[in-house]
Each structure stands twice: as structure tokens, then as C-alpha cells.
Amino acid sequence: MKGGIGGSLPAKRRWKGFVIAVLGLVLLSLLVPLVFLLGLHNGFHSSGFSTAQQSSSASGVRVYSRHSTAKNGSQSEGDESKHMDDLMRRLEPTFSKDIRENFVGEAENKTAGSPLLDGLPKERPRANSTGAAAMHAATENIKGIDGSPMLDGLPKERSRANSTSVGAMHAATGNIKGIDEGEKLCELKFGSYCLWRRNHKEKVNDFTVRKMKDLLYVARAYYPSIAKLPALDKLSQEMKQNIQEFERVLSVTTIDKDLPPLIDQKLTKMEAVIAQAKACRVDCSNVDKKFRQLVDLTEDEATFHMRQSAFLYQLAVQTMPKSHHCLSMRLTVEYFRDPSPDIDQSLAERHLNPDLHHFVIFSNNVLASSAVINSTVMHAKESESQVFHVVTDRQNYFAMKLWFSRNKYMEATVEVLNIEDVKLDNNKASTSIHLSLPDEYRVSFHKVDKPSTTEYLSVFSHSHYLLPKIFHSLKKVVVLDDDVIVQRDLSDLWGIDMDGKVNGAVQSCSVRLVQLRKLFGSKRVDETSCAWMSGLNVVDLVRWRERDISGRYLKLVKEMNSEEAVTLRASLLTFQGEVYALDDKWVLSGLGHKYGVDSETVKNARVLHFNGKMKPWLELGIHDYTVFWRKFVDPENQFLSDCNIN
């Protein structure tokens, strides 16, 4: 008996220990849900350690979708935002061929060195979240990691900082330095859209509307807590009515002049209701939770609209305007109604005469090509020696033919060529040739203690390397882009001694090839070579053929595996050592993206180059410069009037 009793004691003790462990686990499993149900976990946000917002940002999950109270109201908006992000990411490589180069570093241990193109995404911390009125002036600071350049269109990771109070949100808008930093980051992220947006801001005409939005913002935060208290039913009803009234007014009003009468009384009433709600004893954690939800919703909504606006801007600058498309279609229809007569033999001989001054324009824009030719002949001393070759595609060929047959440009001759019909030697019949226009790349430099600078490099496209085969009888040509305007006589270009070089171009020595050495991989680059610009180029076709520039270019294109900036890399390497530097006074570039260029400087320039996104024929063009382009467009032309081109 003793042995039996003594042997059962350890077993009972082990059983009691197991029961206690199970009870402890059950108790913990009950406490954890209670913490979240009571909202105690919201207190962790102010600790400065790992927060729910930070973890959600790191994982790529939007914060507002994690809150049950905001899920239903924001589900569709979240889907739209995600769809817009995907759409921007899918279309950015097509729309934006930009290269960003950062010379950012610590001043004491790093000097401004050469940028290296690695194309890797950089993490950027996001500034404190702002409220409804401060959202459009959100500021973000960027700090360089290694000073290496970034390719545009790559996703960047961003960590979200803790949200601030409503009072601090309005104070943040007065920080000019923060706004400037936000504009710089905006330009990095969205390109020239932010430049256009900054210069087209309207004066503040919605002060009262913003005040109403802020009051509505606060009332929505307090209402859920007030509605839960039975003793405050009257206050809850008043607050609900005021919220509904404000929502109704703001749904149809965006500026102060459209506000209904007696709006001051509504504002006073809302302020009184909010003051009563603040005086009530409510659960602060619930109010704080609602504030955070509304801040997150407002922040994500502003980000979504910013990305949507940038996408629409990119779409506007990359597509043909409706009026220009109308012009091309009407000209094409008219051509088949009344075809232009065949060219006479004397003009055909001029097209092949190497002793004349030949200009080549690759374009699919009728009006832009016409403005280039018109400006050139109007400033020429001897227009009868000028021959213009407009190379286009099949879609715009007939419109170009009719336009240039019915419009005369003094004594100059204009020939329109369809690149798809050009017969090339050693070209297979099944191989189709397509028109490609000059490519532009945006290069941004950010140096320590110096303002950032942005350059748009325009280089030859694939079509330009067909020049010696298309014009096999010519010895020298001047290649003009369709976004230039000529303001002086260009006959001196034919008398320039190019020292045996192939391409006479204006160089941009703020961008040297050695600074882009990682862009070229194992290819050797000359440290003293500068990047050259298309727009105005004197091309020696004889030396081009002797040195097989086209074959050299095609070989480089085949060797390059990546499609990113392939034209820029191949063009810069192909013409390395083959560029004759023209005087900088020949061309004033940057008029498609730079604001603030002195009007006298523009007026006195020989050639204006509208390189950049904001072309002069677009409504988004910079108005101070587009007037110099519009002078060479006839507003009384019937086709322009019919298509509402003014």
C-alpha cells in the first residue's frame, strides 16, 4: 500500500503542472484579443519603435485596408489606387526614357564624384503625414545613399513616418525649405510634370472650402465615439446633421465663390458642435484610432491623385493632340479626293544635286515640320539653294504630300519620303523599316551644396542611321529635329571645316562620357568626351560611309542585352571621337522643360530647340516660348481652322 500511494504522488504533481500550463495558455489567448478589442495596441504608436503603420509600409500593404471601420468605404478606392500604381509601373518605361544621376554625399568625407548608373531602387523616407489642406504641399526629403544614378520608372520603397496632429499639419505648410525639398523629390519621381504643376498653380481661392474640409475631418473623428453614448443622443444628431450638410456642400463646391449663402452660420454651428464634442468624456483611444484612419485615407487618396495626374500628364505629352490628328486625317482624305500633281523633272534633279544645301527632317507631325521649314527659309539669304527632305511614315505620308504641295516656302524645294517605301541595299524584302524619332533622356544632377540641374539629351534614333543609304547621292546634309525653330541664316554651316569628323553637333559638357562609364559596361570611353545633342547636326555622309558609322551602331545595339537607354548608349559610343563641337551660340536648348529663360536670350538665339516634354504645339507648352514657334504657323489656313488649331 505504501509503495502504491508513494508512487502516485509524482504523477499527480505532473498532472497539476500540466493543468496550470494549459490554464495559462488559455488566459493568454483571451488577453491578446482583448488588447486589440479595447484599442490598447494604439498606444504603441507613440513609442517610436516598430508600429503597425511602419510594418504595413514595409510589407507593401496599405494601412487603411487593415482597419475594419474604413474597409467598406475605401475598398474600391484602394483597388483603384493599386490599379493606377500597376498602370504607371507598366507604362513608365514607354513614356519615360529618363536617367537620373545623383552627386549626393557627405560634404566632409566625399567630394562630387562621377555618377554611376546602377539602376537600383533607393529607399526614401516619407515625411510626416499631413491633413486635407496640407496634403498638396507634402514634403519628402531625399538623402543620397552612394551617389549613384537611378533609372526612371523603377519602384522605390518608402517608409512612413508617424502621423502628426491637425495643428502641426497646417504649420508644416509654412516651411518653405520643406516645400522646396518636396518639389525636388516630386521632380525626381514624376519628372517635368512637377515643374509644370509648380508653374501653373492658381492663387488660393478656396480658403473657406479648406476650412470646411478640416472641420469635417475633425467631426468625423469624434462622431463614432459620441454616437456610442446614449446620454449624448442630441449632440450626436446635431453632429450627424452638420456632417451631412458639409458633405452635401463640398460635393458640389470647390472654390469659395460657389459656396451657398449663410455659409458663415454653418461654419459657426459646426465649430460649436465640435467644441461640445471635445468637452465630453470619451475614449481617447477610439478618437485617436479614427484620426489615424482618416489621415491614412487622406494621404493615400492624395498620393493616388498625384500619380493619376502624372499619368495623364505623361499621356498628354506623349500622344498626338486631337486637333493635330484631325489635321492629318483631313489632309489624307483631301489628298485622295484631289491628288497632288506629279513632281516635275527639274525638282527631282534638285533633290539629288549634292551642290545644294540639303536639310533632313524625321517627323510624323505635319505642323511641326512646316514650322521648321518656314522658319528656315524666312531667315535664309538664298532660299533657292535649299532643299528639304521630310522623312515620315506611311500613316502621315499622304497628309505631308498634300500639305507641302499646296504650301510654298519661298524658293526652297520640299520632298516628302515614306521611309517604309525606301529601297535599301542589302535589305531583305521581308524586313520592314519603321520610322523612329529622336530619343530624349532626362539627366538630373544633384550635388552637395549646389542646386540641382536637369538636362534633356536628345540623340539620333534608329532611322537616322539610314541617312547614307537613303541619300546615297549626297555628300553633306544638315539634320533638323521637328521641335526646333530657326532664327538666323544657316548657310554658314556648309562652310565649316569639321577636321575630318563625321557629326557636327552642340555638345553638353555638363554630361561627360566618363560620368556614365557604368552605362557602357566594358566599353572604353574617352574621359574628355562630352555628350552631344541632336536638333541641329551637320553630317558628313562621305566620311560616314568610309568609317561605317551605321555598321558600328548596329553592332553595338546587338551587343547590348538591356533595352534600357539602348539608343543613348549606342549613339554616344558610336560617335565617340567623331563629333565636331559646334559653337554653343548656334543652339539654345531646354525650351521644352526649363522655365525662366530670359526672353531676350530666346529672341537673340540662332536656333531654338524645344527639347523636353512640353513641346510648343501642345497646350502644356511653356507659353513664354511657344510665341516664337507660333509665328511660323499660318492661323488663317483653312485646314487649321477646321481642326480648331489656334
Side-chain angles (χ1 to χ4, degrees):
M1 289 293 294
K2 288 181 180 181
I5 294 173
S8 64
L9 287 175
K12 289 182 179 180
R13 289 173 183 170
R14 287 195 299 269
W15 177 255
K16 287 181 179 179
F18 179 74
V19 171
I20 292 173
V22 171
L23 290 175
L25 291 174
V26 172
L27 183 61
L28 287 174
S29 64
L30 293 175
L31 286 176
V32 171
L34 284 175
V35 169
F36 285 90
L37 289 174
L38 295 176
L40 297 177
H41 63 290
N42 286 330
F44 301 148
H45 286 286
S46 61
S47 63
F49 297 103
S50 177
T51 65
Q53 290 180 352
Q54 291 170 338
S55 63
S56 64
S57 177
S59 62
V61 181
R62 296 185 179 276
V63 177
Y64 66 82
S65 64
R66 299 169 67 93
H67 298 290
S68 58
T69 56
K71 183 175 182 180
N72 294 332
S74 64
Q75 184 68 35
S76 60
E77 183 179 347
D79 294 340
E80 291 179 358
S81 180
K82 183 178 179 182
H83 173 69
M84 181 58 63
D85 290 344
D86 295 339
L87 193 58
M88 285 286 291
R89 198 155 40 240
R90 190 182 308 118
L91 293 178
E92 266 181 341
T94 302
F95 289 149
S96 183
K97 303 168 184 174
D98 301 347
I99 300 175
R100 299 172 180 172
E101 303 180 5
N102 298 335
F103 283 81
V104 184
E106 296 296 331
E108 52 267 12
N109 59 8
K110 202 173 193 179
T111 59
S114 301
L116 304 177
L117 193 78
D118 53 12
L120 297 177
K122 309 293 188 296
E123 293 185 1
R124 297 178 293 177
R126 175 179 289 181
N128 292 338
S129 304
T130 57
M135 254 314 167
H136 300 287
T139 60
E140 299 181 56
N141 298 327
I142 182 167
K143 295 182 179 180
I145 297 177
D146 57 359
S148 56
M150 300 176 290
L151 284 176
D152 205 12
L154 295 178
K156 286 88 179 173
E157 295 182 3
R158 297 183 297 176
S159 59
R160 179 178 297 173
N162 293 334
S163 304
T164 58
S165 61
V166 176
M169 297 168 190
H170 295 286
T173 60
N175 189 341
I176 300 177
K177 181 179 179 181
I179 294 175
D180 292 339
E181 292 175 349
E183 289 292 348
K184 290 180 182 179
L185 184 58
C186 181
E187 183 181 354
L188 281 175
K189 186 176 181 182
F190 298 111
S192 57
Y193 160 73
C194 295
L195 295 175
W196 177 84
R197 177 173 169 267
R198 182 183 62 192
N199 285 273
H200 287 78
K201 282 185 177 179
E202 297 180 356
K203 295 182 179 179
V204 177
N205 56 3
D206 58 347
F207 179 80
T208 306
V209 171
R210 293 187 182 188
K211 185 177 180 181
M212 291 180 64
K213 290 181 179 179
D214 286 343
L215 291 175
L216 180 61
Y217 179 86
V218 177
R220 284 173 172 171
Y222 275 93
Y223 176 73
S225 299
I226 299 297
K228 292 179 181 179
L229 302 176
L232 301 176
D233 285 344
K234 184 177 180 181
L235 178 60
S236 175
Q237 288 296 326
E238 292 181 9
M239 184 172 287
K240 182 178 180 180
Q241 292 175 1
N242 281 274
I243 290 175
Q244 291 176 345
E245 179 65 18
F246 270 48
E247 289 176 342
R248 184 187 65 80
V249 172
L250 293 175
S251 65
V252 295
T253 304
T254 56
I255 56 178
D256 292 348
K257 68 177 183 180
D258 295 333
L259 290 171
L262 304 178
I263 191 63
D264 293 336
Q265 297 181 8
K266 296 184 186 334
L267 286 171
T268 303
K269 188 176 180 181
M270 175 65 92
E271 290 174 345
V273 169
I274 292 176
Q276 295 181 38
K278 290 181 178 180
C280 297
R281 298 173 66 94
V282 296
D283 189 352
C284 293
S285 63
N286 290 336
V287 177
D288 175 71
K289 181 179 179 180
K290 189 63 179 177
F291 265 120
R292 292 183 186 279
Q293 292 174 0
L294 293 175
V295 166
D296 292 338
L297 285 172
T298 307
E299 183 182 40
D300 290 325
E301 182 180 5
T303 302
F304 168 76
H305 286 300
M306 175 66 82
R307 295 185 68 84
Q308 186 183 52
S309 300
F311 169 75
L312 294 176
Y313 171 86
Q314 295 285 356
L315 190 64
V317 299
Q318 293 291 338
T319 55
M320 184 72 72
K322 181 180 178 181
S323 56
H324 288 248
H325 182 70
C326 165
L327 176 63
S328 181
M329 293 298 101
R330 282 182 175 270
L331 289 172
T332 302
V333 172
E334 185 65 22
Y335 175 86
F336 287 102
R337 286 180 179 174
D338 184 16
S340 58
D342 294 335
I343 188 170
D344 57 29
Q345 189 63 28
S346 61
L347 293 180
E349 292 176 356
R350 286 174 57 85
H351 297 164
L352 303 175
N353 187 354
D355 296 328
L356 300 178
H357 296 172
H358 293 266
F359 297 85
V360 179
I361 304 171
F362 291 87
S363 177
N364 59 2
N365 190 321
V366 177
L367 207 56
S369 303
S370 177
V372 176
I373 299 175
N374 197 19
S375 65
T376 305
V377 299
M378 287 184 64
H379 294 97
K381 295 178 181 179
E382 299 178 356
S383 61
E384 62 273 8
S385 64
Q386 295 180 332
V387 180
F388 293 87
H389 306 271
V390 181
V391 184
T392 186
D393 54 10
R394 181 175 288 112
Q395 180 179 349
N396 298 279
Y397 173 71
F398 300 105
M400 293 269 196
K401 286 279 288 183
L402 183 72
W403 178 270
F404 289 111
S405 66
R406 294 193 178 183
N407 292 275
K408 300 302 179 182
Y409 300 89
M410 300 180 68
E411 301 299 325
T413 304
V414 181
E415 179 191 22
V416 180
L417 296 174
N418 178 10
I419 195 172
E420 299 176 29
D421 292 337
V422 173
K423 303 298 182 182
L424 302 179
D425 297 335
N426 301 325
N427 186 50
K428 297 180 180 179
S430 59
T431 304
S432 59
I433 304 173
H434 300 285
L435 176 70
S436 57
L437 302 179
D439 293 317
E440 292 184 344
Y441 297 87
R442 185 171 64 90
V443 184
S444 297
F445 294 94
H446 303 273
K447 301 181 180 180
V448 177
D449 299 330
K450 291 184 180 180
S452 60
T453 59
T454 301
E455 293 288 344
Y456 270 83
L457 295 181
S458 55
V459 295
F460 285 171
S461 67
H462 299 304
S463 298
H464 286 74
Y465 292 92
L466 300 175
L467 280 171
K469 295 184 178 180
I470 297 176
F471 306 101
H472 50 81
S473 64
L474 303 182
K475 299 178 180 179
K476 180 182 288 188
V477 297
V478 171
V479 182
L480 299 174
D481 288 354
D482 63 359
D483 58 351
V484 303
I485 288 295
V486 178
Q487 299 189 131
R488 297 291 185 275
D489 179 48
L490 299 182
S491 59
D492 293 341
L493 292 174
W494 269 263
I496 294 178
D497 182 7
M498 296 174 56
D499 297 330
K501 306 296 184 181
V502 176
N503 182 8
V506 174
Q507 292 186 325
S508 176
C509 285
S510 60
V511 185
R512 293 188 180 273
L513 299 192
V514 68
Q515 296 172 340
L516 305 173
R517 56 178 177 266
K518 272 208 168 180
L519 182 67
F520 306 121
S522 60
K523 303 297 181 183
R524 292 183 179 180
V525 295
D526 183 1
E527 295 186 1
T528 62
S529 295
C530 302
W532 57 275
M533 302 273 289
S534 71
L536 173 69
N537 300 88
V538 184
V539 177
D540 189 335
L541 294 178
V542 175
R543 290 190 175 90
W544 184 308
R545 298 184 186 98
E546 291 175 354
R547 299 173 188 178
D548 193 18
I549 298 296
S550 299
R552 189 187 307 178
Y553 172 80
L554 293 175
K555 182 179 179 181
L556 287 171
V557 170
K558 292 179 180 179
E559 291 177 357
M560 295 176 181
N561 297 325
S562 174
E563 291 296 327
E564 189 68 46
V566 62
T567 308
L568 176 66
R569 291 184 286 170
S571 293
L572 293 180
L573 285 175
T574 298
F575 284 100
Q576 186 179 196
E578 302 289 350
V579 177
Y580 173 80
L582 296 178
D583 191 340
D584 293 343
K585 296 180 181 179
W586 273 105
V587 181
L588 176 63
S589 60
L591 301 184
H593 69 96
K594 289 182 181 178
Y595 287 89
V597 180
D598 183 63
S599 59
E600 286 298 321
T601 303
V602 178
K603 185 177 180 180
N604 296 327
R606 297 181 183 180
V607 177
L608 306 179
H609 191 191
F610 293 84
N611 57 319
K613 300 282 187 180
M614 293 171 274
K615 301 300 182 184
W617 54 83
L618 300 175
E619 294 184 5
L620 299 174
I622 303 175
H623 180 267
D624 293 342
Y625 314 143
T626 56
V627 292
F628 295 93
W629 183 86
R630 294 183 183 276
K631 291 191 302 183
F632 303 102
V633 177
D634 182 13
E636 298 181 358
N637 186 284
Q638 185 61 40
F639 288 104
L640 302 187
S641 300
D642 293 343
C643 292
N644 196 27
I645 298 178
N646 47 42

